[in-house]
Amino acid sequence: MILLKSPEEIDRMRRANAIVAEILAELRTRVRPGVTTGELDVLAEELTRKKGARPAFKGYAVAGRVYPASVCISINDEVVHGIPSPRRVLRDGDIVGLDFGVCHDGYFGDAAVTVPVGRVTPEAERLMRVTEAALAAGIEAIRAGAHVGDISGAIQDTVEAAGFSTVREFVGHGIGRSLHEDPQVPNYRTGARGVRLSDGLVLAIEPMVNAGGPEVFLKEDGWTAATRDGRLSAHFEHSVAVTGNGPYILSLP
Ligand code: MF3
Ligand code: CO
């Protein structure tokens, strides 16, 4: 079931997403060698509560497994859903995905970035740039008469033109009064055109891009997805409303 949002609801979602964007911006200023992912998580939760919001991911349950933290922090070959820990230390040359969501005033916001720690390899730089460009291409595919499949195709083409691969196991999603709503937003062509992009549809678009092959596996902790070939992965996400004037990116500071 697809829930279209009124302009007033989109305004409320804009406020939830602005909190997400501001906190992500603060987190990225703290990213440096020696910092632990646990520290970043504690800070994110504190800032969230100060804004009168609650972390969207903490306590989120999938098939009986409960996600224990406020931010998903995924390093290097980790694709998504990494669990922060006071024992996990950021090192020079790492790339670190910060995926963060809140619930505020009954509505969810969700966004992600991948950032370098100190100096990273040219390949890591290019992977991050291409993943961000794939997100931008997906957002630009939002126009009158387009369908979800056009977003998926634009993302896949951007990724594959760069010689990288797009993860199949995780997808973008509708967002609103729930973190995950219909429709799914795959980062590759499924063969179906998908639903039409109507005014009031709000989507979390989130390409996950691997430097090597697309295959991923789940680590022992039951959450962290990582690349099977051990090569790098990057992730960027925005929550975006479809409007009569085209895409409206909600998760900007
Ligand atoms: N941005 C991710 C998503 O939308 C984060 C979910 S983590 C979870 O699916 F813990 F909440 F599952
Ligand atoms: Co999401």
Side-chain angles (χ1 to χ4, degrees):
M1 184 191 37
I2 296 199
L3 300 167
L4 301 178
K5 280 80 185 177
S6 67
E8 190 215 326
E9 289 181 285
I10 287 174
D11 208 53
R12 289 160 77 172
M13 294 194 69
R14 160 76 196 150
R15 283 195 279 273
N17 276 287
I19 293 170
V20 171
E22 271 175 51
I23 293 175
L24 274 179
E26 178 62 30
L27 293 179
R28 57 190 303 173
T29 71
R30 308 293 180 114
V31 166
R32 64 173 63 89
V35 168
T36 71
T37 59
E39 291 169 56
L40 296 174
D41 186 61
V42 167
L43 175 65
E45 180 163 0
E46 278 174 11
L47 295 173
T48 304
R49 308 273 181 212
K50 263 191 211 152
K51 300 266 184 197
R54 75 172 169 85
F57 305 161
K58 196 168 192 169
Y60 188 90
V62 179
R65 294 175 301 128
V66 176
Y67 189 77
S70 297
V71 196
C72 298
I73 305 185
S74 307
I75 302 171
N76 295 336
D77 59 308
E78 295 173 351
V79 178
V80 283
H81 303 166
I83 300 175
S85 158
R87 293 182 313 279
R88 189 76 190 264
V89 183
L90 299 182
R91 306 276 180 213
D92 188 51
D94 286 344
I95 62 170
V96 53
L98 304 169
D99 183 357
F100 182 55
V102 305
C103 184
H104 177 263
D105 191 24
Y107 289 85
F108 283 86
D110 188 7
V113 293
T114 301
V115 297
V117 183
R119 272 176 66 87
V120 303
T121 64
E123 183 183 60
E125 277 294 353
R126 194 169 75 89
L127 179 66
M128 290 188 288
R129 237 186 316 112
V130 167
T131 308
E132 196 167 15
L135 172 57
I139 293 170
E140 279 162 29
I142 296 176
R143 54 186 60 154
H147 295 75
V148 165
D150 297 312
I151 299 173
S152 305
I155 291 170
Q156 181 174 12
D157 289 347
T158 305
V159 170
E160 292 180 356
F164 295 141
S165 60
T166 178
V167 171
R168 283 6 188 211
E169 283 82 353
F170 303 96
V171 295
H173 49 94
I175 181 168
R177 285 190 164 279
S178 305
L179 175 61
H180 296 139
E181 295 184 355
D182 288 341
Q184 294 197 346
V185 185
N187 297 302
Y188 58 94
R189 287 189 184 78
T190 62
R193 193 160 60 151
V195 304
R196 197 188 174 85
L197 300 177
S198 309
D199 199 346
L201 184 63
V202 183
L203 300 173
I205 303 174
E206 49 179 320
M208 287 144 271
V209 178
N210 293 353
E215 302 84 8
V216 301
F217 75 99
L218 201 59
K219 288 193 171 180
E220 304 260 86
D221 62 21
W223 279 101
T224 310
T227 60
R228 205 144 83 192
D229 59 15
R231 294 183 64 186
L232 297 177
S233 188
H235 179 210
F236 282 83
E237 176 177 21
H238 270 309
S239 293
V240 184
V242 177
T243 79
N245 297 320
Y248 174 29
I249 302 176
L250 303 177
S251 44
L252 291 172

